[in-house]
Amino acid sequence: MLNWNVRFNIALDVASCLEYLHHGTVPPVVHWDIKSSNILLDSSMQPRVTGFGVLRKETLRPHSYKVKGSFGYVDPEYILTRIYTTKSDVYCFGVLLFELIAGRTPKAGLLEYVELAVINTKETVDGRNLLIPGLKTNMTCKSSMAWLL
């Protein structure tokens, strides 16, 4: 199981990659398919973002009839408008963050799991309900993802 330090570094490195693609390139580049299976870890547990759709904003065809993307990661706004933007990448990144915290993929019921955890809190949201059971006691590092909770 990945500890909090590794999970935090994965999230930080993927966020840095997206920030560079969206703001460090002209024109901005959207990844199109941010998901856990497109984040590879090298031998020192450093994440490498792969699976680039590499679409530039001006090449996107609005109102395409076929929805592209992976189940559970697709931005609802993109589904409605058929326009994929950098915001869609950010939505996918949010799903990836939930995966890092909960240890579940969308195919394994991640979204339902998040909804149930929030419902069970009776109006006081405690993010610890989402944590992988083994990580609840493993939150000792100062640079943990506890700031998300």
Side-chain angles (χ1 to χ4, degrees), residues 63-115:
H63 308 293
S64 171
Y65 292 103
K66 184 177 179 184
V67 174
K68 298 178 184 176
S70 299
F71 170 79
Y73 297 90
V74 179
D75 175 17
E77 187 173 321
Y78 161 64
I79 293 172
L80 292 175
T81 65
R82 298 298 198 270
I83 300 171
Y84 199 92
T85 66
T86 55
K87 290 179 183 180
S88 302
D89 274 353
V90 173
Y91 179 89
C92 295
F93 177 70
V95 175
L96 179 69
L97 287 178
F98 274 123
E99 276 188 79
L100 288 168
I101 293 169
R104 294 176 185 237
T105 65
K107 288 182 180 178
L110 171 67
L111 302 178
E112 293 83 3
Y113 180 72
V114 171
E115 288 174 0

Side-chain angles (χ1 to χ4, degrees), residues 10 13-14 17-18 21 29-42 46-54 70 89 92 96:
I10 291 169
D13 287 350
V14 173
C17 175
L18 286 177
L21 291 173
V29 175
V30 293
H31 183 279
W32 193 271
D33 203 18
I34 294 291
K35 60 183 177 180
S36 55
S37 61
N38 282 338
I39 310 299
L40 304 179
L41 299 176
D42 65 15
Q46 294 298 310
R48 303 288 183 240
V49 179
T50 64
F52 281 84
V54 189
S70 299
D89 274 353
C92 295
L96 179 69

